[in-house]
Amino acid sequence: MDLFVTLGINGLATGMLIFLLASGLTLIFGLMDVLNFAHGGLFIWGAYSGVWFYHLTDSFTVAIVTAIATGLVLGLIMEKVIVKPVYGNHIQQILITLGFMLVLQEVIKVVFGPHQIAVSPPAFLDGSFVVGDVVFIKYRLFIILLGLFVFIATSYLFSKTRIGLVVRAGVIDKEMVQSLGINIKLVFTAVFMLGSALAALSGVLHAPYSGVLYAEMGLEFSILAFIVVIIGGMGSFRGSLFAALLVGLTQAFMAYYVPALSLATNMLLMTAVLIFRPQGLFTAKA
């Protein structure tokens, strides 16, 4: 029983990290119809910038704030310079964002160096505690709780507030919203920045979780995010959470019981969804 709970917590923590990355991806596609293959670059820049300030100040709070700020700034630049000229053209979006992803990855090596960087959890989240026979690792519980908070806060923002109403109305009819005197382009830029900030947040949280940081990590982790978005349904925020937890738990249990099949299982899961439910397990709500 204790092993089952431990593997479950590991799977949930991994799933929450994937969710934070995938949620930004699905927000940008679901609300703006943009296929952003540079999302992994935002993830890795959030990780490196946050860890750099973490080592400089010894404050993980500063690291998180720095990562989010980095995601917001890069998201703004990317939307205005890279994505704006290719709105409505998915092929061009894939090509230009994939190219930008490689640029972001290589610039990381120039700015922070090509070598791996070791990262430890902050002192107040380091270690574990025992309940019965089950060992709870503090940092993994922190990731699970923070991921849940982000899911609830973002869901509330888009479903219960006036800002969310404007965004949803803009998705349905941009011209109508624009005629009401609302700058819908500015609103969508803010949505893009929010999605980018979530990717950067995922990056800085993942660094102490994996214990090491390297430039190629963004591309590797973004593959899992795309699997999650496909399984959960393109544009579905709830679907991304469900699929991310499913992928995280599957990976955790398969890595322990059948290590050789841990990566293949997620691919098989995605293939099954594409065959029997191509639109994903959940559909996006307007």
Side-chain angles (χ1 to χ4, degrees), residues 5 81 86 174:
V5 174
V81 179
V86 294
K174 293 179 185 175

Side-chain angles (χ1 to χ4, degrees), residues 3 11 14 31 35 42 47 77-78 88 115 125 165 171-172 204 208 213 216 219 239 264 281:
L3 176 62
T14 303
L31 299 177
L35 287 170
L42 301 169
I77 296 171
M78 191 174 167
H115 305 296
L125 293 174
L165 180 64
V171 172
I172 297 171
V204 73
L213 200 56
E216 292 78 11
L219 187 58
L281 299 178

Side-chain angles (χ1 to χ4, degrees), residues 3-15 18 140 209 245-259 262-263 265-266:
L3 176 62
F4 184 84
V5 174
T6 301
L7 290 175
I9 292 173
N10 291 347
L12 289 175
T14 303
I18 301 171
R140 292 177 183 175
Y209 180 77
L245 296 181
L246 181 63
V247 167
L249 288 169
T250 301
Q251 189 168 304
F253 279 91
M254 291 300 290
Y256 184 82
Y257 289 107
V258 195
S262 64
L263 289 178
T265 304
N266 289 329

Side-chain angles (χ1 to χ4, degrees), residues 22-194:
S23 60
L25 199 63
T26 202
L27 270 181
I28 291 170
F29 177 80
L31 299 177
M32 303 175 65
D33 196 31
V34 172
L35 287 170
N36 181 15
F37 276 68
H39 214 62
L42 301 169
F43 170 91
I44 197 64
W45 267 92
Y48 268 88
S49 61
V51 166
W52 193 80
F53 271 93
Y54 176 39
H55 288 165
L56 187 69
T57 64
D58 201 28
S59 168
F60 198 60
T61 304
V62 172
I64 290 176
V65 172
T66 302
I68 292 174
T70 301
L72 290 172
V73 172
L74 281 178
L76 176 63
I77 296 171
M78 191 174 167
E79 198 274 337
K80 293 295 184 188
V81 179
I82 304 295
V83 174
K84 190 175 180 179
V86 294
Y87 271 129
N89 190 323
H90 284 163
I91 299 298
Q92 289 186 358
Q93 288 170 8
I94 292 172
L95 292 175
I96 198 168
T97 57
L98 189 57
F100 191 58
M101 164 74 213
L102 297 176
V103 170
L104 288 174
Q105 181 176 294
E106 294 306 311
V107 174
I108 278 281
K109 297 176 185 176
V110 175
V111 176
F112 297 100
H115 305 296
Q116 295 186 353
I117 298 174
V119 187
S120 302
F124 70 99
L125 293 174
D126 200 9
S128 59
F129 60 91
V130 180
V131 177
D133 294 328
V134 181
V135 178
F136 292 90
I137 298 175
K138 293 179 184 176
Y139 190 71
R140 292 177 183 175
L141 292 177
F142 169 72
I143 290 173
I144 294 170
L145 293 175
L146 186 59
L148 280 175
F149 172 76
V150 170
F151 172 73
I152 293 170
T154 310
S155 298
Y156 182 84
L157 175 68
F158 285 107
S159 62
K160 301 293 183 184
T161 67
R162 185 176 180 275
I163 295 173
L165 180 64
V166 169
V167 172
R168 286 184 283 121
V171 172
I172 297 171
D173 192 337
K174 293 179 185 175
E175 288 72 21
M176 182 272 292
V177 175
Q178 194 77 33
S179 68
L180 295 175
I182 299 172
N183 189 341
I184 193 63
K185 292 181 180 178
L186 184 62
V187 173
F188 279 173
T189 298
V191 170
F192 196 96
M193 292 170 66
L194 174 61

